[in-house]
CSV table of all heavy atoms in Angstrom, one decimal:
chain,number,residue,atom,x,y,z
A,744,GLU,N,-2.8,-4.8,-11.1
A,744,GLU,CA,-4.2,-4.5,-10.7
A,744,GLU,C,-4.2,-4.2,-9.2
A,744,GLU,O,-4.9,-3.2,-8.8
A,744,GLU,CB,-5.1,-5.7,-11.0
A,744,GLU,CG,-5.2,-6.2,-12.4
A,744,GLU,CD,-5.9,-5.1,-13.3
A,744,GLU,OE1,-7.1,-4.9,-13.1
A,744,GLU,OE2,-5.2,-4.6,-14.2
A,745,LEU,N,-3.5,-4.9,-8.4
A,745,LEU,CA,-3.4,-4.6,-7.0
A,745,LEU,C,-2.7,-3.3,-6.8
A,745,LEU,O,-3.1,-2.5,-5.9
A,745,LEU,CB,-2.7,-5.8,-6.3
A,745,LEU,CG,-2.4,-5.5,-4.8
A,745,LEU,CD1,-3.7,-5.3,-3.9
A,745,LEU,CD2,-1.5,-6.6,-4.2
A,746,ASP,N,-1.6,-3.1,-7.5
A,746,ASP,CA,-0.8,-1.9,-7.4
A,746,ASP,C,-1.7,-0.7,-7.6
A,746,ASP,O,-1.6,0.3,-6.9
A,746,ASP,CB,0.3,-1.9,-8.3
A,746,ASP,CG,1.3,-3.0,-8.1
A,746,ASP,OD1,1.3,-3.6,-7.0
A,746,ASP,OD2,2.1,-3.3,-9.0
A,747,GLN,N,-2.5,-0.7,-8.7
A,747,GLN,CA,-3.3,0.4,-9.0
A,747,GLN,C,-4.4,0.7,-8.0
A,747,GLN,O,-4.7,1.8,-7.6
A,747,GLN,CB,-4.0,0.2,-10.4
A,747,GLN,CG,-3.0,0.0,-11.6
A,747,GLN,CD,-2.1,1.3,-11.8
A,747,GLN,OE1,-2.5,2.4,-11.4
A,747,GLN,NE2,-1.0,1.1,-12.4
A,748,PHE,N,-4.9,-0.4,-7.4
A,748,PHE,CA,-5.9,-0.3,-6.4
A,748,PHE,C,-5.3,0.4,-5.1
A,748,PHE,O,-5.9,1.3,-4.6
A,748,PHE,CB,-6.5,-1.7,-6.0
A,748,PHE,CG,-7.4,-1.7,-4.8
A,748,PHE,CD1,-8.7,-1.2,-4.9
A,748,PHE,CD2,-7.0,-2.2,-3.6
A,748,PHE,CE1,-9.6,-1.2,-3.8
A,748,PHE,CE2,-7.8,-2.2,-2.5
A,748,PHE,CZ,-9.1,-1.7,-2.6
A,749,VAL,N,-4.2,-0.1,-4.7
A,749,VAL,CA,-3.5,0.4,-3.5
A,749,VAL,C,-3.2,1.9,-3.7
A,749,VAL,O,-3.4,2.7,-2.8
A,749,VAL,CB,-2.3,-0.4,-3.1
A,749,VAL,CG1,-1.5,0.3,-2.0
A,749,VAL,CG2,-2.7,-1.8,-2.7
A,750,LYS,N,-2.6,2.2,-4.9
A,750,LYS,CA,-2.1,3.6,-5.1
A,750,LYS,C,-3.3,4.6,-5.4
A,750,LYS,O,-3.3,5.7,-4.9
A,750,LYS,CB,-1.1,3.6,-6.2
A,750,LYS,CG,0.2,2.9,-6.0
A,750,LYS,CD,1.0,3.5,-4.8
A,750,LYS,CE,1.6,4.8,-5.2
A,750,LYS,NZ,2.5,5.3,-4.1
A,751,ASN,N,-4.2,4.2,-6.2
A,751,ASN,CA,-5.3,5.1,-6.7
A,751,ASN,C,-6.6,5.1,-5.9
A,751,ASN,O,-7.3,6.1,-5.9
A,751,ASN,CB,-5.5,4.8,-8.2
A,751,ASN,CG,-4.3,5.0,-9.1
A,751,ASN,OD1,-3.5,5.9,-8.8
A,751,ASN,ND2,-4.1,4.2,-10.0
A,752,LYS,N,-6.9,3.9,-5.4
A,752,LYS,CA,-8.2,3.8,-4.6
A,752,LYS,C,-7.9,4.0,-3.1
A,752,LYS,O,-8.6,4.8,-2.4
A,752,LYS,CB,-8.8,2.4,-4.8
A,752,LYS,CG,-9.3,2.2,-6.3
A,752,LYS,CD,-10.4,3.2,-6.7
A,752,LYS,CE,-10.8,2.8,-8.1
A,752,LYS,NZ,-11.9,3.8,-8.6
A,753,LEU,N,-6.9,3.3,-2.6
A,753,LEU,CA,-6.6,3.5,-1.1
A,753,LEU,C,-5.7,4.7,-0.9
A,753,LEU,O,-5.7,5.2,0.2
A,753,LEU,CB,-5.8,2.2,-0.6
A,753,LEU,CG,-6.6,0.9,-0.7
A,753,LEU,CD1,-5.7,-0.2,0.0
A,753,LEU,CD2,-7.9,1.0,-0.1
A,754,LYS,N,-5.1,5.2,-1.9
A,754,LYS,CA,-4.2,6.4,-1.8
A,754,LYS,C,-3.1,6.2,-0.9
A,754,LYS,O,-2.7,7.1,-0.1
A,754,LYS,CB,-5.0,7.6,-1.4
A,754,LYS,CG,-6.2,8.0,-2.2
A,754,LYS,CD,-5.8,8.4,-3.6
A,754,LYS,CE,-7.0,8.8,-4.5
A,754,LYS,NZ,-6.7,9.2,-5.9
A,755,ALA,N,-2.6,4.9,-0.8
A,755,ALA,CA,-1.4,4.6,0.0
A,755,ALA,C,-0.2,5.2,-0.6
A,755,ALA,O,0.2,4.7,-1.7
A,755,ALA,CB,-1.3,3.1,0.2
A,756,ARG,N,0.5,6.1,0.0
A,756,ARG,CA,1.7,6.7,-0.6
A,756,ARG,C,3.0,5.8,-0.5
A,756,ARG,O,3.8,5.9,-1.4
A,756,ARG,CB,2.0,8.0,0.2
A,756,ARG,CG,0.9,9.1,0.0
A,756,ARG,CD,1.2,10.3,0.8
A,756,ARG,NE,2.4,11.0,0.2
A,756,ARG,CZ,3.0,12.1,0.8
A,756,ARG,NH1,2.5,12.6,1.9
A,756,ARG,NH2,4.0,12.6,0.2
A,757,TYR,N,3.1,5.1,0.6
A,757,TYR,CA,4.4,4.4,0.8
A,757,TYR,C,4.2,2.9,0.7
A,757,TYR,O,4.2,2.1,1.6
A,757,TYR,CB,4.9,4.8,2.2
A,757,TYR,CG,5.0,6.3,2.4
A,757,TYR,CD1,4.3,6.9,3.4
A,757,TYR,CD2,5.8,7.0,1.6
A,757,TYR,CE1,4.4,8.3,3.6
A,757,TYR,CE2,5.9,8.4,1.7
A,757,TYR,CZ,5.2,9.0,2.8
A,757,TYR,OH,5.3,10.4,2.9
A,758,TYR,N,4.1,2.5,-0.6
A,758,TYR,CA,3.8,1.1,-1.0
A,758,TYR,C,4.9,0.6,-1.9
A,758,TYR,O,5.3,1.3,-2.8
A,758,TYR,CB,2.4,1.1,-1.7
A,758,TYR,CG,2.1,-0.2,-2.4
A,758,TYR,CD1,1.7,-1.4,-1.7
A,758,TYR,CD2,2.2,-0.3,-3.8
A,758,TYR,CE1,1.3,-2.5,-2.4
A,758,TYR,CE2,1.8,-1.4,-4.5
A,758,TYR,CZ,1.4,-2.5,-3.8
A,758,TYR,OH,1.1,-3.7,-4.5
A,759,ILE,N,5.4,-0.6,-1.6
A,759,ILE,CA,6.4,-1.2,-2.5
A,759,ILE,C,6.0,-2.7,-2.7
A,759,ILE,O,5.6,-3.4,-1.8
A,759,ILE,CB,7.8,-1.2,-1.8
A,759,ILE,CG1,8.3,0.2,-1.5
A,759,ILE,CG2,8.8,-2.0,-2.7
A,759,ILE,CD1,9.5,0.2,-0.6
A,760,ARG,N,6.1,-3.1,-4.0
A,760,ARG,CA,5.8,-4.6,-4.3
A,760,ARG,C,7.0,-5.2,-5.0
A,760,ARG,O,7.6,-4.6,-5.9
A,760,ARG,CB,4.6,-4.7,-5.1
A,760,ARG,CG,4.3,-6.2,-5.4
A,760,ARG,CD,3.0,-6.4,-6.2
A,760,ARG,NE,3.0,-5.8,-7.5
A,760,ARG,CZ,3.7,-6.4,-8.5
A,760,ARG,NH1,4.3,-7.5,-8.4
A,760,ARG,NH2,3.7,-5.8,-9.7
A,761,TYR,N,7.3,-6.4,-4.6
A,761,TYR,CA,8.4,-7.2,-5.2
A,761,TYR,C,7.8,-8.6,-5.4
A,761,TYR,O,7.7,-9.4,-4.5
A,761,TYR,CB,9.7,-7.3,-4.4
A,761,TYR,CG,10.8,-7.8,-5.2
A,761,TYR,CD1,11.7,-6.9,-5.9
A,761,TYR,CD2,11.1,-9.1,-5.4
A,761,TYR,CE1,12.8,-7.4,-6.6
A,761,TYR,CE2,12.1,-9.6,-6.1
A,761,TYR,CZ,13.0,-8.7,-6.7
A,761,TYR,OH,14.0,-9.2,-7.5
A,762,VAL,N,7.4,-8.9,-6.7
A,762,VAL,CA,6.7,-10.1,-7.0
A,762,VAL,C,5.4,-10.2,-6.1
A,762,VAL,O,4.6,-9.3,-6.2
A,762,VAL,CB,7.5,-11.4,-6.9
A,762,VAL,CG1,6.8,-12.6,-7.6
A,762,VAL,CG2,8.9,-11.2,-7.5
A,763,ASP,N,5.3,-11.2,-5.3
A,763,ASP,CA,4.1,-11.4,-4.5
A,763,ASP,C,4.2,-10.9,-3.1
A,763,ASP,O,3.3,-11.0,-2.3
A,763,ASP,CB,3.6,-12.8,-4.5
A,763,ASP,CG,4.7,-13.8,-4.0
A,763,ASP,OD1,5.8,-13.5,-4.1
A,763,ASP,OD2,4.3,-14.8,-3.4
A,764,ASP,N,5.4,-10.3,-2.8
A,764,ASP,CA,5.6,-9.6,-1.5
A,764,ASP,C,5.3,-8.1,-1.6
A,764,ASP,O,5.8,-7.5,-2.5
A,764,ASP,CB,7.0,-9.8,-1.0
A,764,ASP,CG,7.3,-11.3,-0.6
A,764,ASP,OD1,6.4,-11.9,-0.1
A,764,ASP,OD2,8.4,-11.7,-0.7
A,765,PHE,N,4.6,-7.5,-0.6
A,765,PHE,CA,4.5,-6.1,-0.7
A,765,PHE,C,4.5,-5.5,0.8
A,765,PHE,O,4.3,-6.3,1.7
A,765,PHE,CB,3.2,-5.7,-1.4
A,765,PHE,CG,1.9,-6.1,-0.8
A,765,PHE,CD1,1.3,-5.2,0.2
A,765,PHE,CD2,1.3,-7.2,-1.1
A,765,PHE,CE1,0.1,-5.6,0.7
A,765,PHE,CE2,0.1,-7.6,-0.6
A,765,PHE,CZ,-0.5,-6.7,0.4
A,766,VAL,N,4.8,-4.3,0.8
A,766,VAL,CA,4.8,-3.6,2.1
A,766,VAL,C,4.2,-2.2,2.0
A,766,VAL,O,4.4,-1.5,0.9
A,766,VAL,CB,6.3,-3.5,2.6
A,766,VAL,CG1,7.2,-2.7,1.7
A,766,VAL,CG2,6.4,-2.9,4.0
A,767,ILE,N,3.5,-1.8,3.0
A,767,ILE,CA,2.9,-0.4,3.0
A,767,ILE,C,3.3,0.2,4.4
A,767,ILE,O,3.1,-0.4,5.4
A,767,ILE,CB,1.4,-0.4,2.9
A,767,ILE,CG1,0.9,-1.2,1.7
A,767,ILE,CG2,0.9,1.1,2.8
A,767,ILE,CD1,-0.6,-1.3,1.6
A,768,LEU,N,3.9,1.4,4.4
A,768,LEU,CA,4.3,2.1,5.6
A,768,LEU,C,3.4,3.2,5.9
A,768,LEU,O,2.8,3.8,5.0
A,768,LEU,CB,5.8,2.6,5.4
A,768,LEU,CG,6.9,1.6,5.5
A,768,LEU,CD1,7.0,0.7,4.4
A,768,LEU,CD2,8.3,2.4,5.7
A,769,HIS,N,3.1,3.4,7.2
A,769,HIS,CA,2.2,4.5,7.6
A,769,HIS,C,2.5,4.9,9.0
A,769,HIS,O,3.1,4.1,9.8
A,769,HIS,CB,0.8,4.1,7.4
A,769,HIS,CG,-0.1,5.3,7.3
A,769,HIS,ND1,-0.6,6.0,8.4
A,769,HIS,CD2,-0.7,5.9,6.2
A,769,HIS,CE1,-1.4,7.0,8.0
A,769,HIS,NE2,-1.4,6.9,6.7
A,770,GLU,N,2.1,6.1,9.4
A,770,GLU,CA,2.3,6.6,10.8
A,770,GLU,C,1.4,5.9,11.7
A,770,GLU,O,1.7,5.7,12.9
A,770,GLU,CB,2.1,8.1,10.9
A,770,GLU,CG,3.1,8.9,10.0
A,770,GLU,CD,2.5,9.2,8.6
A,770,GLU,OE1,1.6,8.5,8.2
A,770,GLU,OE2,3.1,10.0,7.9
A,771,GLU,N,0.2,5.5,11.2
A,771,GLU,CA,-0.9,4.9,12.1
A,771,GLU,C,-1.1,3.5,11.8
A,771,GLU,O,-1.4,3.1,10.7
A,771,GLU,CB,-2.1,5.7,11.9
A,771,GLU,CG,-2.0,7.2,12.2
A,771,GLU,CD,-3.3,8.0,11.8
A,771,GLU,OE1,-4.3,7.4,11.5
A,771,GLU,OE2,-3.2,9.2,11.7
A,772,LYS,N,-1.1,2.7,12.9
A,772,LYS,CA,-1.4,1.3,12.8
A,772,LYS,C,-2.9,1.0,12.3
A,772,LYS,O,-3.1,0.1,11.5
A,772,LYS,CB,-1.2,0.6,14.2
A,772,LYS,CG,-1.4,-0.9,14.2
A,772,LYS,CD,-1.1,-1.4,15.6
A,772,LYS,CE,-1.2,-3.0,15.6
A,772,LYS,NZ,-0.9,-3.5,16.9
A,773,GLU,N,-3.8,1.9,12.8
A,773,GLU,CA,-5.2,1.7,12.4
A,773,GLU,C,-5.4,1.9,10.9
A,773,GLU,O,-6.2,1.2,10.3
A,773,GLU,CB,-6.1,2.7,13.2
A,773,GLU,CG,-6.1,2.5,14.7
A,773,GLU,CD,-4.8,2.9,15.4
A,773,GLU,OE1,-4.0,3.6,14.8
A,773,GLU,OE2,-4.6,2.4,16.6
A,774,LYS,N,-4.7,2.8,10.3
A,774,LYS,CA,-4.8,3.1,8.9
A,774,LYS,C,-4.4,1.8,8.1
A,774,LYS,O,-5.0,1.4,7.1
A,774,LYS,CB,-3.9,4.3,8.5
A,774,LYS,CG,-4.2,4.8,7.1
A,774,LYS,CD,-5.5,5.5,7.0
A,774,LYS,CE,-5.7,6.1,5.6
A,774,LYS,NZ,-7.0,6.8,5.5
A,775,LEU,N,-3.3,1.2,8.6
A,775,LEU,CA,-2.8,0.0,7.9
A,775,LEU,C,-3.8,-1.2,8.1
A,775,LEU,O,-3.9,-2.0,7.1
A,775,LEU,CB,-1.4,-0.4,8.4
A,775,LEU,CG,-0.3,0.6,8.1
A,775,LEU,CD1,1.0,0.1,8.7
A,775,LEU,CD2,-0.1,0.7,6.5
A,776,SER,N,-4.4,-1.2,9.2
A,776,SER,CA,-5.4,-2.3,9.4
A,776,SER,C,-6.6,-2.1,8.4
A,776,SER,O,-7.1,-3.1,7.9
A,776,SER,CB,-5.9,-2.2,10.9
A,776,SER,OG,-6.8,-3.2,11.1
A,777,GLY,N,-7.0,-0.9,8.2
A,777,GLY,CA,-8.0,-0.6,7.2
A,777,GLY,C,-7.6,-1.0,5.8
A,777,GLY,O,-8.3,-1.6,5.1
């Protein structure tokens, strides 16, 4: 459910999840804060 939200609603391209750990990469710090 979280994966689908991050990928389809937030449109975060560089997202990886492993069990309850996840990481999102981006060029802008402000975007990640949002």
Side-chain angles (χ1 to χ4, degrees):
E744 301 292 299
L745 172 64
D746 298 343
Q747 299 296 337
F748 173 75
V749 172
K750 296 296 289 184
N751 297 322
K752 298 294 184 182
L753 300 185
K754 305 294 183 183
R756 295 179 66 186
Y757 305 120
Y758 166 78
I759 300 169
R760 182 177 61 79
Y761 193 94
V762 194
D763 56 332
D764 290 328
F765 67 87
V766 62
I767 308 175
L768 283 68
H769 202 277
E770 299 90 344
E771 300 172 13
K772 185 177 181 180
E773 293 74 19
K774 191 71 173 178
L775 291 177
S776 182

